[in-house]
Amino acid sequence: MQPALSQFVLKMHSRCDLACDHCYVYEHADTSWRGRPRAVSDEILVQVADRIAEHARRHRLPTVHVVLHGGEPLLAGPTRLRRAAEELQRALRGVSALDLRMHTNGVLLDEAYCDLFLELGIKVGVSLDGDKVSNDRHRRYADGRSSHHKVVRAVELLNRPRYRPLFAGLLCTIDVENDPVAVYDALVELSPPRIDFLLPHATWDTPPPRPAGAATPYADWLDAVYRRWDAAGRAVPVRIFDSVLRTLRGESSLTESLGLAPADLVVIETDGTFEQADSLKTSYDGAPATGMDVFTHSLDDVLQHPGMLARQQGIEQLCAQCRACPVVASCGGGLYAHRYRTGSDFDNPSVFCPDLLALVTTIRDRAAAAPTPRQQSAELPFPQGDFDALATGFGGADAITRLAAAQLDVNQELLAAVSGCIALSDREATAAWELLTHLDAEVPDALDAVLAHPYTRPWALSVLEGRAAPAGGLAEIAAATVVRAGLDRGVTVPVQDGALRLPGLGTVRLPGGVDEAEVRGGPEGFTVRAGTRRLSIGRHEGLDGSAPHWQPVRLFEGEGWSVAIEDTDPLRDCHSWPVARRIASDEIKLWAEDLTGAWALIRRELPAYADGVAAGLRLITPLYAPDGSNVSAACKEAWGAIGAARPSSPDQLALLIVHEFQHVKLAAVLDAVDLYDKSDRALYYAPWRPDPRPIGGLLQGTYAHIAVTDFWRVRRDTAESVAQRADAEAQFARWRSRTADAVDELLTSRSLSGLGETFVASMGDTVAGWLAEPVSVAAQSAAEHAARRHRAEWKARTEGAR
């Protein structure tokens, strides 16, 4: 993926009304602020907005994040702040969503500013170093007066119900001379939506204070806060702790000071020059400079600067000591500026290296030793009987129905989380969210039906991870709800690449050049208005392919089972194989014929799976298999869906269905129950693969192959010919051996939780019963020979890799 910049720090004013002695702008090595204009000009604001929009358009950025900064940005005054917001909104309209924020010391914040920020959609983060004693150690006026009371007043203002949506959080710079618990308690008492603890800026040339020669004072300070935070139930998000915990799970960091994600931030100074991250000001005079400005250089030019390129290289740009460190994936070498040393520049570990190592390992060990909330309680999030039934490898209609309800709850929670990502300036997303709240009150069943669409969660996660803007998906969900409920209400929906998506219903194809259309429901169907064009679409129109503008989702109706063939949703491409294009009508007939045969086989020969499939499998996405192979897949975030290329026979389709639905079931169980240690990075022997697997992948494969084993167990008695029955017996012998070996590998891994051991042991009981069933000598010998050969080949490969 081509690198891009999505975070921009726009300097509104280059001076400050406080004289904090730990400030990296005015108190460290860089002195470039002295020669810059105090406030950014209107001309520069226009050019900055155009440059950002140009970059966002080229790289198709879903969201652009801009922080108004300083110095102290409030010194720029309301008129200039309004101009900055309006220019950014103008330039980015129709290009990207704008997440606009401000970092301020808060001393000038008043109701007039808050009203302005409500109008413009500017969220506000406030710097505060804790209680009065702690804050006043550094954050004072030039004449020594305290700033604490004014900052607290500003935070109290942001906590008023009218202004609370503006409040982005508190930023606190650590001083190890301050009492960590007192600092944390003082911040929490102000009810911030987030707390961000920042290490003081330092380098190897100017190292941070270490009182009494302590080895890891900053890790010790943060650990005291962590223990207080954890014991209180983690009532407020703390960015540094959440980032460590996320990176330990293999997820992305929430801050540039941790993790290996490429840097995607640039600073625009009041004179229009581009600079690298402000923190570099602590390294040496001129360190952040790029020699570029908004009038003569694009943001793609800035990306080619050697300093920017170095910070795009992940682990490769770290020094040898960092690359060999066991916690490098979490630490990431620390903040780039903190690695500086005269002579070796940034090719060093962080000056806080001992602290970062201690912090990550301590949090890792505490997280591993502490039982999860579900382990602390003997209660399962669903009935014990459901857990027991699912653990055997099966699970009836009632258990699957309750899993489906739990998955809908997850989607509803994710939708609420998406609403928290809506920038105050994003009018389209705000309007769509307000409509959804009304629809939830008016037609909750219709909204739930749309939210239950399997590809709702992948969309929501893409928004929460910053890969997509919220507005489009929210509007699509609202429009699909209006259509389902038959409401005479118009919803404006974006059109992407000529397609208007109605999740779970289908796709409307519109002519090129149309950016949005209005969808309106009705008792007999719905209408779409795009410019001067109006389409009326009946409820059953297009199923035979006769309506080129409307591509509905087509249903297979079997006895006791209805499943959609989803070949319309642009978001369906979340499986491990490419999806097929829209299936032609004659091919759909073949799908229907094969599904009829597959469903009849499942109901007749695999009744222990049939009720669960009927209750939970709602969607099959056709996959692309150019060589005609039996390709199938499940996506852990897409409950109720599997992907499959249409195989050579209904029997094979039946096998694919029960196999992949096992993955779907287990993914839902894992959403509710911790069955294994997610921090385990070891790889384990998988009897059906040439490569070792992580513990989660091995568990998924074992659970899925219970269904595979059972399929062949039954088919050895029901296959039509002698040869087919013999093949089924050989397959059964092979798969029961493989599944039993995998169960043993899981049980000896020492990575399963208590519930995980119970779950896997129950799987083992199922397989043990099958191991007692007689098979022919030839089938058993072939299975044992295959197992020995696979184990020997795997051992040779793994030893060779060492």
Side-chain angles (χ1 to χ4, degrees):
M1 182 179 294
Q2 186 180 11
L5 298 165
S6 63
Q7 300 189 65
F8 305 91
V9 174
L10 176 56
K11 296 301 187 78
M12 298 299 301
H13 202 277
S14 65
R15 302 297 188 271
C16 188
D17 43 4
L18 294 183
C20 308
D21 59 18
H22 57 16
C23 179
Y24 56 80
V25 176
Y26 306 111
E27 302 295 334
H28 283 254
D30 186 80
T31 59
S32 59
W33 62 273
R34 298 181 186 276
R36 290 201 169 98
R38 289 179 175 268
V40 64
S41 69
D42 289 350
E43 182 185 18
I44 288 173
L45 289 176
V46 172
Q47 187 68 13
V48 166
D50 289 341
R51 284 297 190 195
I52 292 174
E54 171 188 59
H55 190 72
R57 186 180 293 107
R58 176 174 180 181
H59 294 274
R60 298 185 178 182
L61 299 179
T63 304
V64 165
H65 307 272
V66 179
V67 178
L68 306 180
H69 210 283
E72 171 49 49
L74 293 179
L75 289 174
T79 301
R80 200 170 304 276
L81 291 171
R82 174 185 289 280
R83 181 66 184 270
E86 290 179 345
E87 287 299 334
L88 289 164
Q89 291 164 359
R90 168 196 60 77
L92 288 164
R93 190 171 295 114
V95 177
S96 300
L98 172 62
D99 175 24
L100 187 56
R101 298 175 183 243
M102 171 184 291
H103 287 172
T104 173
N105 61 36
V107 298
L108 295 178
L109 192 68
D110 58 17
E111 290 186 5
Y113 270 124
C114 286
D115 288 333
L116 176 69
F117 298 156
L118 272 181
E119 177 191 348
L120 298 174
I122 302 175
K123 293 186 177 182
V124 181
V126 178
S127 295
L128 180 66
D129 289 350
D131 57 289
K132 185 176 187 301
V133 171
S134 301
N135 190 74
D136 287 353
R137 192 182 295 274
H138 301 287
R139 304 188 62 80
R140 292 177 172 271
Y141 288 94
D143 60 6
R145 286 180 297 130
S146 168
S147 67
H148 185 262
H149 67 287
K150 289 189 175 181
V151 184
V152 169
R153 183 207 61 193
V155 174
E156 290 172 346
L157 182 63
L158 289 171
N159 271 323
R160 292 183 189 176
R162 171 174 171 77
Y163 301 132
R164 178 70 182 186
L166 298 174
F167 196 5
L170 296 175
L171 294 85
C172 171
T173 300
I174 298 167
D175 186 326
V176 292
E177 296 287 357
N178 291 330
D179 182 334
V181 173
V183 168
Y184 174 74
D185 287 350
L187 297 178
V188 170
E189 189 175 352
L190 294 172
S191 302
R194 180 182 295 278
I195 298 174
D196 200 357
F197 288 108
L198 308 174
L199 290 169
H201 288 311
T203 68
W204 289 101
D205 291 353
T206 54
R210 297 188 180 276
T216 58
Y218 296 90
D220 298 341
W221 195 95
L222 283 166
D223 184 52
V225 175
Y226 181 90
R227 284 182 277 118
R228 184 75 160 190
W229 175 71
D230 195 41
R234 306 181 181 184
V236 57
V238 176
R239 193 186 302 268
I240 191 169
F241 299 150
D242 288 335
S243 292
V244 172
L245 291 166
R246 283 172 59 88
T247 55
L248 288 171
R249 296 193 299 265
E251 301 173 19
S252 60
S253 172
L254 302 173
T255 170
E256 68 167 330
S257 62
L258 292 169
L260 292 168
D264 64 349
L265 177 146
V266 71
V267 178
I268 302 106
E269 288 286 355
T270 56
D271 60 358
T273 55
F274 289 118
E275 290 207 339
Q276 300 176 71
D278 258 359
S279 55
L280 286 170
K281 293 178 185 293
T282 198
S283 304
Y284 58 88
D285 198 6
T290 66
M292 304 183 195
D293 64 73
V294 296
F295 294 102
T296 55
H297 300 89
S298 71
L299 286 161
D300 282 289
D301 293 334
V302 177
L303 271 173
Q304 298 307 307
H305 184 273
M308 299 297 296
L309 289 174
R311 300 175 66 207
Q312 294 287 325
Q313 296 169 6
I315 195 170
E316 296 304 319
Q317 54 93 20
L318 299 179
C319 68
Q321 179 180 334
C322 288
R323 293 197 301 271
C325 178
V327 301
V328 65
S330 290
C331 166
L335 194 67
Y336 189 72
H338 295 172
R339 305 173 204 164
Y340 182 76
R341 186 199 299 265
T342 300
S344 54
D345 293 337
F346 299 96
D347 190 26
N348 309 288
S350 168
V351 73
F352 291 99
C353 177
D355 297 280
L356 293 171
L357 177 62
L359 176 67
V360 173
T361 53
T362 299
I363 291 178
R364 180 197 64 196
D365 294 344
R366 289 189 188 283
T372 66
R374 290 195 179 102
Q375 290 171 329
Q376 290 172 347
S377 170
E379 296 182 3
L380 287 163
F382 44 72
Q384 181 71 48
D386 290 356
F387 181 82
D388 294 341
L390 291 162
T392 64
F394 303 105
D398 290 345
I400 302 303
T401 298
R402 281 187 281 270
L403 278 185
Q407 291 293 290
L408 176 59
D409 288 344
V410 172
N411 285 0
Q412 291 168 336
E413 291 170 3
L414 286 172
L415 186 67
V418 165
S419 73
C421 296
I422 299 173
L424 295 177
S425 58
D426 191 342
R427 308 301 185 194
E428 293 84 359
T430 300
W433 175 251
E434 290 176 353
L435 175 57
L436 284 172
T437 61
H438 292 304
L439 293 173
D440 189 32
E442 293 178 43
V443 287
D445 291 343
L447 177 57
D448 285 349
V450 177
L451 293 181
H453 181 54
Y455 300 122
T456 296
R457 191 181 306 188
W459 162 77
L461 292 173
S462 72
V463 174
L464 296 175
E465 293 167 3
R467 295 182 285 109
L474 293 172
E476 291 166 349
I477 292 171
T481 303
V482 165
V483 172
R484 278 186 177 273
L487 296 179
D488 184 15
R489 182 174 300 173
V491 183
T492 300
V493 184
V495 176
Q496 300 287 338
D497 299 323
L500 187 154
R501 172 180 177 258
L502 294 174
L505 299 176
T507 298
V508 182
R509 307 302 306 185
L510 294 168
V514 174
D515 294 327
E516 63 182 25
E518 183 194 69
V519 176
R520 184 175 295 273
E524 303 301 325
F526 63 100
T527 60
V528 177
R529 289 184 181 273
T532 59
R533 188 175 183 184
R534 182 179 185 274
L535 301 175
S536 295
I537 300 171
R539 288 199 173 274
H540 304 292
E541 185 178 344
L543 295 175
D544 59 357
S546 60
H549 55 277
W550 171 229
Q551 296 179 344
V553 174
R554 290 164 289 193
L555 294 178
F556 164 76
E557 298 285 355
E559 185 177 345
W561 182 39
S562 175
V563 65
I565 307 299
E566 175 58 274
D567 57 357
T568 71
D569 196 324
L571 301 183
R572 69 191 187 279
D573 195 6
C574 64
H575 301 281
S576 54
W577 290 86
V579 297
R581 293 183 178 180
R582 175 73 168 173
I583 304 299
S585 298
D586 55 349
E587 177 74 6
I588 281 292
K589 292 177 182 178
L590 296 177
W591 268 99
E593 291 172 4
D594 285 353
L595 282 168
T596 299
W599 180 234
L601 186 152
I602 293 171
R603 292 181 66 245
R604 181 179 67 249
E605 300 181 12
L606 300 167
Y609 298 95
D611 288 347
V613 168
L617 183 55
R618 296 302 186 195
L619 184 153
I620 297 175
T621 289
L623 301 180
Y624 175 64
D627 57 358
S629 57
N630 291 332
V631 169
S632 63
C635 172
K636 66 180 181 178
E637 285 89 18
W639 161 261
I642 66 170
R646 190 174 65 84
S648 57
S649 70
D651 292 5
Q652 285 296 317
L653 183 55
L655 175 57
L656 295 182
I657 288 171
V658 295
H659 172 203
E660 295 300 342
F661 192 59
Q662 291 289 95
H663 287 299
V664 174
K665 287 162 31 182
L666 183 58
V669 171
L670 290 169
D671 272 349
V673 180
D674 293 322
L675 298 183
Y676 61 89
D677 178 6
K678 292 183 173 61
S679 67
D680 181 8
R681 296 290 180 263
L683 298 176
Y684 298 90
Y685 172 66
W688 50 81
R689 290 181 63 113
D691 56 329
R693 300 293 291 155
I695 188 70
L698 180 62
L699 177 60
Q700 280 279 359
T702 308
Y703 194 72
H705 285 120
I706 284 181
V708 173
T709 306
D710 202 18
F711 176 88
W712 292 116
R713 183 181 73 88
V714 173
R715 292 299 288 165
R716 62 194 171 135
D717 295 325
T718 61
E720 294 181 358
S721 69
V722 172
Q724 288 174 335
R725 290 196 292 272
D727 179 63
E729 183 177 52
Q731 294 279 12
F732 169 59
R734 184 179 301 119
W735 282 110
R736 72 177 182 177
S737 173
R738 290 173 171 176
T739 309
D741 287 349
V743 167
D744 290 342
E745 185 82 355
L746 287 166
L747 290 174
T748 58
S749 69
R750 297 187 178 181
S751 190
L752 299 177
S753 66
L755 286 173
E757 290 183 354
T758 300
F759 194 91
V760 174
S762 187
M763 293 163 55
D765 290 342
T766 297
V767 180
W770 295 338
L771 287 171
E773 295 185 12
V775 297
S776 68
V777 172
Q780 183 62 28
S781 296
E784 292 173 356
H785 175 72
R788 287 194 300 271
R789 186 178 66 230
H790 187 276
R791 175 75 75 168
E793 291 173 352
W794 182 85
K795 184 177 180 181
R797 275 191 301 271
T798 54
E799 289 180 349
R802 296 181 192 139

